[in-house]
Amino acid sequence: MSEAMELAGQVALVTGGSRGIGRALAGELAAAGARVAVVARDAGRAQAAAAELPGEGHRGFGCDVADSGAVNELVKTVEAEMGGLEILVNNAGITEDNLLVRMSDEAWDRVLNTNLKGAFNLIRAAARGMMRRRSGRIINITSVVGITGNPGQANYAASKAGLIGLTKSVARELASRGVLCNAVAPGFIDTEMTAALPEAAREALLAQIALGRLGRPEDVACVVRFLAGPAASYVTGQTLVVDGGMVM
Ligand code: NAI
């Protein structure tokens, strides 16, 4: 097998794969030879993104990751139609920022349910098959704010910190079955999620980045490809920070 196609024949599922970081990392896994199940809330957008990936056999699925029943059905369908899941990337995420005292119950619940419970739902559904096959890679996309905290993002930072704890527990629980679980913590990446930031906030963030530029979705995608592949077979329970030297 050539080095360039290290994931040939493997099936990968990427949540939030229709745009931004998820789209880039679906592309990177496809370029490494994987067949990718692109999952997004909107089935049409997921299918359109899947159709643009390099290689053959990719599929798009509509699913709300916060809905555990729908996630169980999704994983069953993917495994029946595409084959056993080898790689799971929990990337779907939302923000609903507000100052703590103004944050509604609903804004707290929506962010925790998508970002943290969503990942739990997918991991629980995918773990059985991975454990049976004694092989699997689970990669959770967290954020540097899960490590540092951030004013106005109590819900989001809590969900991302929670993902780091989830990653370590899954890594410990599934290691003996050959399933590895790691997290990737991007810093400030140029996507639709961050496009909404006011110019002053953008400038202030930029000043903190040692490499002096925003990250690109591709910067995150190649680290995910590394964690999914044979070069990372002795790495589990870790959080890899990809932030251009913003948090050290
Ligand atoms: P984005 O907003 O461009 O894309 C988010 C994706 O998640 C979309 O495809 C959307 O359909 C999907 N999604 C949202 N809720 C969903 C749900 N309930 N069920 C299924 N899919 C759902 O976001 P971006 O910037 O690409 O972020 C991707 C991940 O990276 C998120 O988890 C985000 O928290 C994280 N991240 C992003 C950073 C950035 O600077 N852009 C920095 C650190 C982390």
Side-chain angles (χ1 to χ4, degrees):
M1 193 197 316
S2 80
E3 162 80 351
M5 296 292 270
E6 76 275 15
L7 303 181
Q10 299 193 11
V11 178
L13 187 156
V14 178
T15 67
S18 65
R19 64 183 215 192
I21 294 172
R23 187 177 195 137
L25 62 89
E28 194 65 36
L29 297 176
R35 281 178 293 126
V36 183
V38 175
V39 177
R41 279 170 297 195
D42 183 272
R45 286 206 197 110
Q47 283 155 5
E52 285 179 10
L53 295 174
E56 306 269 300
H58 312 297
R59 297 275 310 272
F61 299 90
C63 179
D64 177 357
V65 297
D67 178 345
S68 62
V71 166
N72 290 339
E73 282 308 308
L74 167 76
V75 171
K76 264 194 215 147
T77 306
V78 169
E79 296 215 310
E81 295 180 5
M82 297 178 72
L85 253 186
E86 192 68 29
I87 300 158
L88 165 65
V89 187
N90 286 306
N91 163 82
I94 56 169
T95 53
E96 230 176 294
D97 300 351
N98 214 333
L99 294 175
L100 186 73
V101 293
R102 295 198 192 137
M103 192 171 283
S104 66
D105 288 8
E106 292 74 20
W108 175 271
D109 289 344
R110 275 193 294 265
V111 170
L112 268 290
N113 283 340
T114 298
N115 299 7
L116 183 54
K117 187 167 181 246
F120 163 70
N121 287 339
L122 264 302
I123 293 170
R124 185 176 55 184
R128 276 206 183 88
M130 288 181 173
M131 288 161 72
R132 202 170 47 241
R133 292 185 295 275
R134 300 208 161 253
S135 133
R137 299 290 173 92
I138 299 168
I139 299 154
N140 298 318
I141 307 300
T142 174
S143 165
V144 288
V145 310
I147 301 168
T148 63
N150 201 22
Q153 290 199 307
N155 51 358
Y156 182 75
S159 73
K160 295 299 189 179
L163 272 178
I164 294 173
L166 175 65
T167 298
K168 292 179 185 178
S169 297
V170 171
R172 288 189 187 279
E173 200 168 317
L174 303 189
S176 64
R177 310 295 192 94
V179 180
L180 312 186
C181 182
N182 290 288
V184 173
F188 188 19
I189 311 297
D190 207 2
T191 66
E192 286 175 58
M193 183 182 263
T194 46
L197 273 179
E199 195 50 37
R202 190 173 265 265
E203 289 300 319
L205 275 165
L206 207 48
Q208 296 170 33
I209 302 174
L211 289 178
R213 66 166 176 87
L214 301 190
R216 293 179 291 258
E218 296 71 27
D219 294 323
V220 180
C222 53
V223 174
V224 170
R225 177 174 175 172
F226 159 69
L227 287 173
S233 59
Y234 198 54
V235 181
T236 197
Q238 302 305 305
T239 299
L240 265 173
V241 176
V242 182
D243 70 347
M246 188 164 77
V247 172
M248 297 188 200

